């Protein structure tokens, strides 16, 4: 029997100001799945995602690729989970795109030459090799999103986690991102308000409300049940 790439049981979290954010979340995702997290602002989606990379630590059991999240396993868990933040500027900080993408492997002790080779390979895969010498702050929103994703993919994660990936993207860039995600083999967990994007890329949806999972199933069924659409 396959082991879930994400297995969360009874996850609870309260912010320091006393605001409860997660109230006993149970969630599983298998390899190759693409799951959309739907729900209003403040429903717990981003808080949940941050727990998967150990950026927040609540009460409950979090396992990534069968490995329980703890202080001892945190480095290995973070190698398995690639987190793409809502604002790409939060991830792009080096002078050039190539240096930015190569930063992760070099930080883990990979030789500079090998890190640069891996970075160039990923840039080719994502169709942005032409940007390798560009400064990240000179890129369009769509180019920044791909560059940020390249910096994650170069680490060879098992799971990709996206927080509102279509923010700041115009329709053509959203379309390009959707096509790219459909091609990537990793399991993908995507928090989004965009039901049309979710419908295009996700196998199923999970709806957050009040820090709990209120329902899950096919994207269309969940959207209809919770009236989560614009039309």
């Amino acid at each position: 029997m396959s082991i879930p790439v994400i297995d969360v049981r009874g996850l609870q979290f309260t912010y320091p100001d006393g605001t409860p954010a997660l109230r006993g979340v149970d969630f599983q995702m298998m390899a190759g799945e693409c799951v959309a997290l739907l729900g209003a602002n403040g429903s717990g989606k981003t808080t949940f995602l941050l727990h998967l990379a150990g950026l927040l630590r609540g009460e409950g059991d979090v396992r990534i690729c069968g490995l329980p999240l703890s202080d001892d396993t945190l480095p290995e868990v973070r190698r398995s989970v690639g987190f793409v933040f809502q604002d790409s500027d939060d991830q792009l900080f080096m002078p050039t795109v190539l240096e930015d993408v190569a930063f992760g492997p070099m930080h883990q002790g990979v030789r500079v030459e090998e890190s640069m080779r891996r970075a160039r390979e990923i840039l080719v895969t994502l169709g942005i090799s032409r940007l390798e010498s560009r400064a990240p702050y000179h890129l369009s929103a769509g180019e920044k999103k791909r560059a940020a994703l390249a910096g994650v993919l170069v680490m060879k994660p098992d799971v990709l986690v996206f927080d509102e990936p279509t923010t700041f993207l115009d329709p053509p860039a959203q379309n390009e991102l959707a096509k790219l995600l459909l091609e990537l083999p990793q399991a993908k967990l995507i928090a989004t308000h965009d039901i049309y994007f979710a419908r295009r890329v996700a196998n199923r949806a999970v709806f957050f409300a009040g820090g709990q999972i209120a329902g899950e199933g096919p994207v269309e069924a969940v959207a209809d049940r919770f009236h989560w659409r614009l039309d």
Side-chain angles (χ1 to χ4, degrees):
M1 184 175 180
S2 299
I3 297 174
V5 291
I6 297 176
D7 191 359
V8 175
R9 309 279 179 170
L11 183 60
Q12 301 184 58
F13 182 77
T14 300
Y15 281 101
D17 66 359
T19 302
L22 299 176
R23 305 169 182 262
V25 173
D26 295 326
F27 175 81
Q28 289 78 43
M29 185 170 75
M30 305 304 292
E33 274 197 287
C34 182
V35 180
L37 300 188
L38 307 178
N41 289 335
S43 61
K45 303 189 306 296
T46 298
T47 300
F48 175 70
L49 295 184
L50 292 172
H51 277 79
L52 303 181
L55 298 173
L56 290 176
R57 302 285 291 277
E59 298 179 4
D61 186 38
V62 177
R63 293 174 180 265
I64 305 297
C65 299
L67 191 67
L69 178 61
S70 68
D71 291 339
D72 292 336
T73 63
L74 188 56
E76 188 170 350
V77 166
R78 286 182 173 168
R79 283 193 290 271
S80 296
V81 177
F83 203 114
V84 182
F85 290 91
Q86 179 176 356
D87 189 344
S88 300
D89 288 331
D90 291 337
Q91 291 183 252
L92 302 171
F93 55 89
M94 297 294 283
T96 69
V97 169
L98 180 62
E99 290 172 283
D100 216 300
V101 177
F103 176 83
M106 284 194 290
H107 186 66
Q108 290 190 341
V110 178
R111 291 184 300 107
V112 173
E113 296 80 2
E114 175 62 14
S115 296
M116 291 295 184
R117 186 196 67 78
R118 294 183 189 180
R120 287 193 171 96
E121 187 177 80
I122 290 295
L123 292 176
V124 169
T125 298
L126 297 188
I128 54 172
S129 57
R130 69 188 185 284
L131 303 177
E132 71 169 53
S133 298
R134 296 271 301 277
Y137 60 85
H138 284 160
L139 305 180
S140 69
E143 290 169 339
K144 286 181 179 180
K145 189 67 69 176
R146 285 198 175 222
L149 179 56
V152 169
L153 290 177
V154 75
M155 304 302 291
K156 301 180 180 179
D158 298 294
V159 183
L160 296 173
V161 175
F162 297 84
D163 189 13
E164 299 294 345
T166 59
T167 301
F168 310 125
L169 300 185
D170 58 23
Q174 291 180 24
N175 182 57
E176 289 300 314
L177 179 62
K179 289 193 293 185
L180 174 60
L181 295 189
L182 289 170
E183 294 171 357
L184 295 175
Q186 288 91 346
K188 293 170 283 287
L189 184 59
I190 304 171
T192 182
H193 288 103
D194 188 337
I195 184 61
Y196 303 109
F197 186 81
R199 182 171 57 193
R200 182 167 180 185
V201 302
N203 306 111
R204 64 183 171 103
V206 171
F207 196 89
F208 269 73
Q212 297 177 310
I213 292 179
E216 61 182 296
V219 176
E220 284 293 331
V222 171
D224 287 341
R225 177 181 173 188
F226 294 98
H227 310 290
W228 200 251
R229 58 177 73 249
L230 296 177
D231 55 359

